[in-house]
Amino acid sequence: MALRAAAARLASSSLRRRHGHLLPAAATASQSAFLHSHATSFGFKQVREDEKSKLVGNVFSSVASSYDVMNDLMSAGLHRLWKDRLISKLNPFPGMKHLDVAGGTGDVAFRVVERIKSVSHRATQGTLTDMEEDTHIYVCDINPNMLDVGKKRATEKGYNEEQCLSWVQGDAEALSFEDGSMDGYTIAFGIRNVTHIEKALSEAYRVLKKGGRFLCLELSHVDVPVFKDIYDIYSFSVIPAVGELVAGDRQSYQYLVESIRRFPKQEKFAQMIQEAGFEAVEYENLVGGVVAIHSGVKL
């Protein structure tokens, strides 16, 4: 309870910035160089573009079985509250067609389903409505091991895959879904691992309907000096050590920490979302910028 109360206080002090005046669409030479560098980075290492997806795939194949346990340990359980906040901002509704990308373990998708059921049942006193039957949540992940974890969890929770959940192996940069087919798109802790962020954003825009919402929950950049120093020590000293102790894999968690530092800062990522075509772009910092929720609307 004390942890939740602390998290609530942190959430209430979150920063939110609306982007009415972003930088010009044309990137400077230095910005272009940064984006290219990120696109070919694997943590702090430079790799060929055709190598990155394979290396990232190896990381998540390695950590899949311990992914949820490590999330709890690394965030002291706060990742659950961050995902709850993501769903609150999404505001799911009965009849919704929703795509959760890089969501193989089902954490976000299950929350969407539960929120829709809660809304529908309050309105109909527990009766299943036609609109709820039309609801469909697609979980897309490039890694089959992560999808296997999600399918197992879905079975344990009693979800009927044919009714509301579909599991799709696919690439965020080349989605198999039709243009304008989704009411919502979420990606949690996944977009920093793609090879080309701009391609993933373009695909998100393509598959959304007019009025559809894009939301991204991602580990981000702390800008409070003292807190940043503490966070850096925790990230580079504690997280890899815990990964080695719990998951038997220090290297994968070293990459995860490094990948956060290579991810664009909040303002830059917001600009990239706007350049992909989204309107009403904004972000909300949580826990001083340890994570941020970015959002936009396709108009």
Side-chain angles (χ1 to χ4, degrees):
M1 292 300 292
L3 176 61
R4 289 186 176 273
R9 289 194 297 272
L10 286 166
S12 67
S13 63
S14 301
L15 302 177
R16 181 178 300 187
R17 302 182 186 178
R18 191 158 185 94
H19 294 266
H21 302 284
L22 293 174
L23 297 177
T28 65
S30 61
Q31 289 168 336
S32 297
F34 172 81
L35 290 178
H36 179 72
S37 173
H38 175 80
T40 55
S41 68
F42 178 73
F44 289 159
K45 300 175 184 177
Q46 293 299 110
V47 298
R48 295 197 311 269
E49 289 186 354
D50 58 356
E51 289 182 319
K52 180 169 180 176
S53 60
K54 181 179 179 180
L55 291 169
V56 171
N58 291 340
V59 166
F60 283 94
S61 292
S62 175
V63 305
S65 61
S66 58
Y67 188 76
D68 290 324
V69 172
M70 282 298 297
N71 277 348
D72 278 330
L73 291 173
M74 289 188 298
S75 71
L78 288 174
H79 76 99
R80 299 173 184 272
L81 299 178
W82 300 335
K83 290 168 185 172
D84 288 344
R85 177 61 178 163
L86 179 74
I87 300 309
S88 177
K89 292 173 75 71
L90 176 66
N91 195 24
F93 55 88
M96 184 180 200
K97 300 294 187 293
H98 182 75
L99 175 61
D100 182 48
V101 175
T105 63
D107 246 15
V108 171
F110 299 150
R111 283 171 166 79
V112 174
V113 172
E114 288 302 321
R115 180 65 65 91
I116 289 173
K117 285 185 175 182
S118 175
V119 170
S120 180
H121 289 191
R122 283 201 304 270
T124 62
Q125 290 76 47
T127 304
L128 189 67
T129 67
D130 291 339
M131 284 293 287
E132 186 175 335
E133 289 178 339
D134 289 339
T135 301
H136 209 107
I137 313 302
Y138 298 88
V139 183
C140 179
D141 201 298
I142 199 169
N143 192 293
N145 295 297
M146 297 291 279
L147 288 169
D148 287 343
V149 171
K151 290 174 185 177
K152 181 179 178 181
R153 292 183 66 199
T155 299
E156 292 170 351
K157 290 176 175 289
Y159 291 122
N160 185 334
E161 181 177 343
E162 297 302 318
Q163 276 193 339
C164 64
L165 277 173
S166 290
W167 305 85
V168 180
Q169 186 175 354
D171 188 344
E173 296 183 29
L175 296 170
S176 60
F177 302 93
E178 294 181 359
D179 295 1
S181 57
M182 299 292 162
D183 296 294
Y185 174 113
T186 49
I187 182 166
F189 307 126
I191 203 162
R192 76 181 187 281
N193 297 309
V194 304
T195 304
H196 303 99
I197 294 175
E198 63 275 16
K199 287 185 179 180
L201 292 172
S202 177
E203 280 292 272
Y205 186 84
R206 180 184 66 79
V207 301
L208 281 169
K209 300 176 182 178
K210 295 289 186 182
R213 297 200 65 208
F214 166 88
L215 287 117
C216 174
L217 171 65
E218 189 54 87
L219 293 158
S220 200
H221 296 270
V222 175
D223 57 7
V224 180
V226 175
F227 185 30
K228 182 180 184 302
D229 292 340
I230 295 171
Y231 181 56
D232 282 343
I233 293 170
Y234 174 74
S235 296
F236 289 100
S237 299
V238 177
I239 289 178
V242 173
E244 183 174 20
L245 180 65
V246 176
D249 189 347
R250 184 185 187 94
Q251 186 175 359
S252 291
Y253 286 94
Q254 182 71 32
Y255 156 72
L256 292 175
V257 170
E258 292 176 1
S259 69
I260 298 166
R261 300 310 189 272
R262 294 304 298 265
F263 189 68
K265 291 187 176 181
Q266 288 90 320
E267 290 283 346
K268 178 60 184 176
F269 185 47
Q271 178 184 326
M272 294 172 70
I273 295 169
Q274 189 180 58
E275 289 172 355
F278 289 101
E279 304 286 346
V281 175
E282 62 181 23
Y283 69 84
E284 180 182 11
N285 278 337
L286 303 174
V287 198
V290 171
V291 295
I293 298 176
H294 283 77
S295 63
V297 180
K298 180 177 179 178
L299 297 178

